[in-house]
mmCIF file of all heavy atoms in Angstrom:
data_model
loop_
_atom_site.group_PDB
_atom_site.id
_atom_site.type_symbol
_atom_site.label_atom_id
_atom_site.label_comp_id
_atom_site.label_asym_id
_atom_site.label_seq_id
_atom_site.Cartn_x
_atom_site.Cartn_y
_atom_site.Cartn_z
ATOM 1 N N ASN A 11 6.174 133.720 2.016
ATOM 2 C CA ASN A 11 6.217 132.462 2.837
ATOM 3 C C ASN A 11 6.029 132.696 4.317
ATOM 4 O O ASN A 11 7.006 132.666 5.097
ATOM 5 C CB ASN A 11 7.556 131.947 2.553
ATOM 6 C CG ASN A 11 7.629 130.430 2.944
ATOM 7 O OD1 ASN A 11 6.669 129.805 3.307
ATOM 8 N ND2 ASN A 11 8.832 129.867 3.061
ATOM 9 N N ILE A 12 4.913 133.090 4.697
ATOM 10 C CA ILE A 12 4.620 133.470 6.038
ATOM 11 C C ILE A 12 3.218 132.882 6.422
ATOM 12 O O ILE A 12 2.316 132.939 5.603
ATOM 13 C CB ILE A 12 4.563 134.957 6.336
ATOM 14 C CG1 ILE A 12 4.249 135.266 7.898
ATOM 15 C CG2 ILE A 12 3.737 135.687 5.329
ATOM 16 C CD1 ILE A 12 4.495 136.789 8.183
ATOM 17 N N ARG A 13 3.174 132.299 7.591
ATOM 18 C CA ARG A 13 1.865 131.680 7.938
ATOM 19 C C ARG A 13 1.716 131.592 9.430
ATOM 20 O O ARG A 13 2.675 131.380 10.177
ATOM 21 C CB ARG A 13 1.604 130.274 7.222
ATOM 22 C CG ARG A 13 2.589 129.325 7.359
ATOM 23 C CD ARG A 13 2.397 128.247 6.310
ATOM 24 N NE ARG A 13 3.365 127.121 6.290
ATOM 25 C CZ ARG A 13 4.480 127.198 5.547
ATOM 26 N NH1 ARG A 13 4.769 128.365 4.883
ATOM 27 N NH2 ARG A 13 5.296 126.210 5.522
ATOM 28 N N ASP A 14 0.484 131.687 9.985
ATOM 29 C CA ASP A 14 0.226 131.408 11.370
ATOM 30 C C ASP A 14 -0.117 129.876 11.534
ATOM 31 O O ASP A 14 -0.669 129.251 10.835
ATOM 32 C CB ASP A 14 -1.142 132.143 11.743
ATOM 33 C CG ASP A 14 -1.482 132.220 13.135
ATOM 34 O OD1 ASP A 14 -1.100 131.334 13.888
ATOM 35 O OD2 ASP A 14 -2.213 133.238 13.539
ATOM 36 N N LEU A 15 0.497 129.356 12.577
ATOM 37 C CA LEU A 15 0.434 127.966 12.955
ATOM 38 C C LEU A 15 -0.921 127.693 13.577
ATOM 39 O O LEU A 15 -1.230 126.540 13.839
ATOM 40 C CB LEU A 15 1.551 127.496 13.876
ATOM 41 C CG LEU A 15 2.962 127.607 13.294
ATOM 42 C CD1 LEU A 15 4.064 126.914 14.130
ATOM 43 C CD2 LEU A 15 3.051 126.935 11.916
ATOM 44 N N GLY A 16 -1.663 128.643 13.810
ATOM 45 C CA GLY A 16 -3.014 128.479 14.382
ATOM 46 C C GLY A 16 -3.891 127.546 13.632
ATOM 47 O O GLY A 16 -3.893 127.482 12.478
ATOM 48 N N GLY A 17 -4.641 126.745 14.489
ATOM 49 C CA GLY A 17 -5.515 125.831 13.761
ATOM 50 C C GLY A 17 -4.889 124.491 13.489
ATOM 51 O O GLY A 17 -5.716 123.456 13.358
ATOM 52 N N THR A 18 -3.597 124.316 13.682
ATOM 53 C CA THR A 18 -3.007 123.040 13.472
ATOM 54 C C THR A 18 -3.459 122.075 14.592
ATOM 55 O O THR A 18 -3.361 122.282 15.786
ATOM 56 C CB THR A 18 -1.491 123.165 13.537
ATOM 57 O OG1 THR A 18 -1.138 124.212 12.532
ATOM 58 C CG2 THR A 18 -0.790 121.831 13.165
ATOM 59 N N GLU A 19 -3.820 120.853 14.234
ATOM 60 C CA GLU A 19 -4.408 119.894 15.104
ATOM 61 C C GLU A 19 -3.350 118.942 15.581
ATOM 62 O O GLU A 19 -2.372 118.466 14.925
ATOM 63 C CB GLU A 19 -5.474 119.103 14.416
ATOM 64 C CG GLU A 19 -6.231 118.168 15.411
ATOM 65 C CD GLU A 19 -7.499 117.486 14.805
ATOM 66 O OE1 GLU A 19 -7.741 117.730 13.599
ATOM 67 O OE2 GLU A 19 -8.180 116.620 15.397
ATOM 68 N N THR A 20 -3.443 118.638 17.020
ATOM 69 C CA THR A 20 -2.607 117.802 17.596
ATOM 70 C C THR A 20 -3.069 116.385 17.501
ATOM 71 O O THR A 20 -4.200 116.065 17.166
ATOM 72 C CB THR A 20 -2.312 118.143 19.085
ATOM 73 O OG1 THR A 20 -3.487 117.912 19.657
ATOM 74 C CG2 THR A 20 -1.757 119.510 19.167
ATOM 75 N N ILE A 21 -2.260 115.341 17.942
ATOM 76 C CA ILE A 21 -2.683 113.964 17.894
ATOM 77 C C ILE A 21 -3.829 113.659 18.935
ATOM 78 O O ILE A 21 -4.559 112.606 18.738
ATOM 79 C CB ILE A 21 -1.577 113.031 18.203
ATOM 80 C CG1 ILE A 21 -0.889 113.237 19.572
ATOM 81 C CG2 ILE A 21 -0.534 113.018 17.051
ATOM 82 C CD1 ILE A 21 0.135 112.214 19.906
ATOM 83 N N ASP A 22 -3.991 114.513 19.863
ATOM 84 C CA ASP A 22 -5.128 114.356 20.919
ATOM 85 C C ASP A 22 -6.300 115.296 20.656
ATOM 86 O O ASP A 22 -7.125 115.450 21.536
ATOM 87 C CB ASP A 22 -4.563 114.371 22.303
ATOM 88 C CG ASP A 22 -3.875 115.776 22.589
ATOM 89 O OD1 ASP A 22 -3.656 116.458 21.605
ATOM 90 O OD2 ASP A 22 -3.467 115.999 23.770
ATOM 91 N N GLY A 23 -6.376 115.805 19.484
ATOM 92 C CA GLY A 23 -7.577 116.615 19.058
ATOM 93 C C GLY A 23 -7.485 118.030 19.361
ATOM 94 O O GLY A 23 -8.519 118.724 19.185
ATOM 95 N N ARG A 24 -6.515 118.550 20.090
ATOM 96 C CA ARG A 24 -6.523 119.963 20.310
ATOM 97 C C ARG A 24 -5.932 120.785 19.259
ATOM 98 O O ARG A 24 -5.414 120.199 18.234
ATOM 99 C CB ARG A 24 -5.477 120.180 21.655
ATOM 100 C CG ARG A 24 -6.000 119.392 22.903
ATOM 101 C CD ARG A 24 -5.130 119.516 23.981
ATOM 102 N NE ARG A 24 -5.156 120.845 24.583
ATOM 103 C CZ ARG A 24 -4.431 121.232 25.666
ATOM 104 N NH1 ARG A 24 -3.484 120.422 26.132
ATOM 105 N NH2 ARG A 24 -4.549 122.403 26.106
ATOM 106 N N ARG A 25 -5.998 122.159 19.257
ATOM 107 C CA ARG A 25 -5.531 122.827 18.205
ATOM 108 C C ARG A 25 -4.823 124.027 18.669
ATOM 109 O O ARG A 25 -4.884 124.567 19.747
ATOM 110 C CB ARG A 25 -6.594 123.450 17.314
ATOM 111 C CG ARG A 25 -7.413 122.268 16.524
ATOM 112 C CD ARG A 25 -8.552 123.016 15.593
ATOM 113 N NE ARG A 25 -9.266 121.914 14.909
ATOM 114 C CZ ARG A 25 -8.859 121.453 13.791
ATOM 115 N NH1 ARG A 25 -7.696 121.882 13.163
ATOM 116 N NH2 ARG A 25 -9.411 120.507 13.121
ATOM 117 N N ILE A 26 -3.775 124.530 17.829
ATOM 118 C CA ILE A 26 -2.928 125.672 18.250
ATOM 119 C C ILE A 26 -3.793 126.882 18.140
ATOM 120 O O ILE A 26 -4.506 127.148 17.155
ATOM 121 C CB ILE A 26 -1.705 125.905 17.399
ATOM 122 C CG1 ILE A 26 -0.846 124.471 17.417
ATOM 123 C CG2 ILE A 26 -0.930 126.917 17.643
ATOM 124 C CD1 ILE A 26 0.399 124.473 16.602
ATOM 125 N N ARG A 27 -3.681 127.768 19.122
ATOM 126 C CA ARG A 27 -4.310 129.080 19.132
ATOM 127 C C ARG A 27 -3.790 129.888 17.960
ATOM 128 O O ARG A 27 -2.708 129.916 17.639
ATOM 129 C CB ARG A 27 -4.155 129.747 20.478
ATOM 130 C CG ARG A 27 -4.604 129.007 21.756
ATOM 131 C CD ARG A 27 -4.264 129.826 22.937
ATOM 132 N NE ARG A 27 -4.690 129.013 24.120
ATOM 133 C CZ ARG A 27 -5.851 129.063 24.731
ATOM 134 N NH1 ARG A 27 -6.820 129.897 24.205
ATOM 135 N NH2 ARG A 27 -6.169 128.353 25.825
ATOM 136 N N ARG A 28 -4.761 130.767 17.528
ATOM 137 C CA ARG A 28 -4.435 131.804 16.473
ATOM 138 C C ARG A 28 -3.637 132.908 17.063
ATOM 139 O O ARG A 28 -3.851 133.189 18.305
ATOM 140 C CB ARG A 28 -5.690 132.220 15.856
ATOM 141 C CG ARG A 28 -5.393 133.088 14.625
ATOM 142 C CD ARG A 28 -6.721 133.430 13.895
ATOM 143 N NE ARG A 28 -6.472 134.121 12.576
ATOM 144 C CZ ARG A 28 -7.242 134.233 11.638
ATOM 145 N NH1 ARG A 28 -8.531 133.748 11.700
ATOM 146 N NH2 ARG A 28 -7.006 134.921 10.559
#
Side-chain angles (χ1 to χ4, degrees):
N11 197 15
I12 180 170
R13 51 196 178 273
D14 188 330
L15 298 185
T18 305
E19 188 171 359
T20 67
I21 59 174
D22 54 356
R24 301 176 74 183
R25 291 185 181 274
I26 299 176
R27 297 176 186 273
R28 185 170 187 166

